[in-house]
Amino acid sequence: MCPGRAMPRHVLLAVVMVVTGSINTLSTKWADSSEAVNLDGQKQPFNHPFLQAVGMFMGELLCLFVFGIRKCMRRNHEVANADDAHAPRNYNPLIFLPAAICDMLGTSIMYIGLNLTYASSFQMLRGAVIIFTALLSVAFLGRVIQRHMWVGMLTVLTGLLLVGLSDILFKDSGSSNSNTNTNGVIAGDLLIILAQIIVAVQMVYEERFVTRYNVHPLAAVGWEGLWGFLCLGLLLIPFYYIKVGNFSQTAGHRLENVPDAFEQMKNNRHIILAIVGNIISIAFFNFAGISVTVELSATTRMVLDSVRTLVIWVFSLIIGWQKFQWLQIVGFQVLHRRLLVSMFYIADCWCLHCRF
């Protein structure tokens, strides 16, 4: 690789990754904050996390089509080498099903949490995945956590506690959204952290069972998107018949109500724009993130992911989704110390792909 010639491309990839990664979270929160008349004739916020998760999987599925196009374009320019140790091995696409199930559970829980808390807190608390991934890697991959890694993880834990405390102590500092209250924010934060355990399980599974096949990351993301789209899409049917009371603000208080979601989208076109933007941005984010990992490094990808957190936090302040909290910025600064872990550990654990 010639750095001089590749520099403009790398800058473009970095910008695309930060911008589309920020749009992922912000567009989801925009949809959550939008209100529209539902099937009951009441004006309610768009509370459809499972349908939004299906949209996320659709965005990942687009990566499979990109991989197919890329493979066809290179077929006439590359000659396969059967002895190449890095050549993809034959694999059964079902190996991605367990990872897709973890992704489905983790994403759905995170979207429920995002509906209850702030977009900036959502992005910051996702840093907890570093801790859970490290601990699970010790148990199932036989890794050894060095002293500097423990220091880095303790730093991350301190930052997470500060962010959580800022949401609890400054209950009047949030946005004007009627959905946001102290109990809801606490529940949302806890759900996001819980989801990181599931995401960590997914990461460890991928490293243990998927990476041995040398599958191209675009294909891996695409297959997981396909299985997640099919599984969660089918689950939307029984979800419609499950009534959960006040836990859901959908028409009929169902766990998920797809007809109600489309009714709200029809009555508020901004919701459609947010969902379509989320699907497209997820596809571009995964493509750009994979390209950064391959052409630069996984550590660079984690640095850019931290920049994405800053962009989301600043944007949330500018548009009034929340007000400035001094304790949150302290937690934000501490969380950025997680790069200590990223440089020594996440480069090994997160090379495959990174979600939202």
Side-chain angles (χ1 to χ4, degrees):
M1 179 183 67
C2 179
R5 290 188 300 175
M7 185 63 68
R9 170 181 169 81
H10 293 164
V11 172
L12 178 61
L13 287 173
V15 171
V16 171
M17 179 181 170
V18 172
V19 172
T20 57
S22 302
I23 292 175
N24 290 349
T25 300
L26 294 172
S27 60
T28 303
K29 189 61 181 179
W30 183 24
D32 292 341
S33 303
S34 300
E35 295 185 344
V37 177
N38 62 12
L39 289 175
D40 288 339
Q42 299 178 350
K43 192 173 185 179
Q44 295 285 356
F46 189 79
N47 184 13
H48 298 276
F50 297 105
L51 183 63
Q52 288 174 297
V54 170
M56 185 213 71
F57 284 120
M58 188 180 299
E60 292 181 2
L61 178 57
L62 293 177
C63 292
L64 193 60
F65 294 106
V66 174
F67 173 74
I69 296 172
R70 176 182 178 274
K71 187 176 180 180
C72 292
M73 292 177 61
R74 294 194 174 189
R75 183 171 295 170
N76 298 328
H77 301 282
E78 296 181 355
V79 179
N81 183 0
D83 297 328
D84 187 0
H86 298 286
R89 296 167 52 190
N90 292 329
Y91 62 90
N92 188 333
L94 286 173
I95 64 171
F96 298 102
L97 181 57
I101 293 175
C102 290
D103 195 8
M104 177 182 68
L105 293 173
T107 301
S108 299
I109 293 174
M110 279 192 285
Y111 277 177
I112 294 173
L114 177 58
N115 191 53
L116 297 172
T117 189
Y118 310 116
S120 57
S121 298
F122 166 83
Q123 191 64 33
M124 294 180 196
L125 292 173
R126 286 180 61 241
V129 71
I130 295 174
I131 299 175
F132 298 126
T133 303
L135 296 177
L136 290 175
S137 295
V138 172
F140 297 101
L141 299 178
R143 291 185 178 273
V144 177
I145 302 181
Q146 304 296 332
R147 182 178 301 175
H148 57 268
M149 296 178 183
W150 282 113
V151 173
M153 286 189 292
L154 288 175
T155 305
V156 172
L157 180 60
T158 302
L160 294 173
L161 291 175
L162 290 174
V163 172
L165 283 175
S166 70
D167 290 340
I168 297 173
L169 296 178
F170 299 94
K171 62 180 180 180
D172 294 325
S173 298
S175 67
S176 59
N177 189 351
S178 60
N179 280 340
T180 306
N181 56 70
T182 303
N183 292 333
V185 167
I186 295 173
D189 290 350
L190 292 176
L191 285 173
I192 293 168
I193 294 175
L194 173 63
Q196 303 318 303
I197 300 177
I198 302 175
V199 175
V201 172
Q202 175 190 350
M203 296 295 177
V204 172
Y205 171 83
E206 289 173 342
E207 183 172 358
R208 180 73 179 271
F209 297 103
V210 177
T211 56
R212 67 177 67 172
Y213 294 99
N214 295 325
V215 182
H216 191 280
L218 273 177
V221 174
W223 280 115
E224 290 183 15
L226 175 62
W227 293 124
F229 178 79
L230 292 176
C231 292
L232 190 54
L234 291 175
L235 284 174
L236 292 180
I237 299 174
F239 284 178
Y240 176 81
Y241 297 98
I242 301 176
K243 295 189 176 182
V244 292
N246 293 330
F247 177 79
S248 173
Q249 295 179 327
T250 63
H253 300 286
R254 305 176 189 274
L255 184 59
E256 184 55 277
N257 191 331
V258 176
D260 182 61
F262 282 105
E263 177 68 16
Q264 288 190 288
M265 284 188 277
K266 184 185 73 173
N267 294 327
N268 188 342
R269 302 299 174 85
H270 290 166
I271 299 176
I272 299 177
L273 181 61
I275 292 178
V276 173
N278 182 259
I279 293 173
I280 296 175
S281 65
I282 284 174
F284 277 96
F285 173 68
N286 278 284
F287 175 77
I290 290 166
S291 300
V292 168
T293 300
V294 172
E295 299 189 21
L296 297 173
S297 68
T299 302
T300 303
R301 184 171 181 171
M302 295 306 301
V303 173
L304 294 175
D305 200 57
S306 296
V307 175
R308 178 165 67 118
T309 305
L310 177 62
V311 171
I312 293 171
W313 181 66
V314 172
F315 187 85
S316 298
L317 292 176
I318 292 175
I319 66 174
W321 279 353
Q322 66 182 96
K323 295 182 181 179
F324 179 81
Q325 302 172 5
W326 64 268
L327 189 57
Q328 190 176 58
I329 195 172
V330 173
F332 175 76
Q333 292 293 332
V334 174
L335 276 176
H336 267 61
R337 297 296 183 93
R338 75 177 186 267
L339 294 179
L340 291 172
V341 183
S342 302
M343 294 179 64
F344 298 105
Y345 183 78
I346 297 302
D348 294 327
C349 293
W350 268 17
C351 283
L352 190 58
H353 64 275
C354 180
R355 292 300 195 283
F356 286 93

